[in-house]
Amino acid sequence: SFAQVRAVIEQRCVLCHSEQVINKGIQLHTPELIEKNAQALYQQAVVLKTMPLNNATQITDAERSLLGRWFEAGAPTH
């Protein structure tokens, strides 16, 4: 569900991609911004596994898999 996806994003991504901290021009603190940046999120966190940088927030393979399934299902935010 999007609630699970959002929980992962809030725990693992928002530290560096929020209203206050905007790395690489990506913000992920609202459903609209998550939807807007879904492709970049998928590419960096799931495909390339380059984010979080040096895995600073300890994202797990299961969480990456959850994000991948969400994106492949059309990245629904509702």
Side-chain angles (χ1 to χ4, degrees):
S1 71
F2 180 66
Q4 292 172 300
V5 168
R6 188 161 186 196
V8 170
I9 292 169
E10 286 177 358
Q11 185 176 10
R12 308 298 189 192
C13 309
V14 170
L15 184 68
C16 296
H17 299 285
S18 67
E19 195 170 12
Q20 293 79 25
V21 182
I22 309 168
N23 284 320
K24 303 285 185 185
I26 303 290
Q27 292 176 293
L28 299 169
H29 58 280
T30 69
E32 296 76 21
L33 289 166
I34 292 169
E35 184 175 30
K36 175 185 172 193
N37 295 297
Q39 176 69 49
L41 177 77
Y42 175 73
Q43 191 68 29
Q44 297 298 315
V46 179
V47 177
L48 299 175
K49 297 183 179 178
T50 55
M51 288 289 124
L53 190 60
N54 298 319
N55 201 13
T57 59
Q58 305 296 304
I59 192 170
T60 66
D61 288 339
E63 290 167 333
R64 290 183 195 277
S65 180
L66 172 70
L67 294 175
R69 290 191 308 274
W70 165 76
F71 181 80
E72 290 163 4
T77 56
H78 307 289

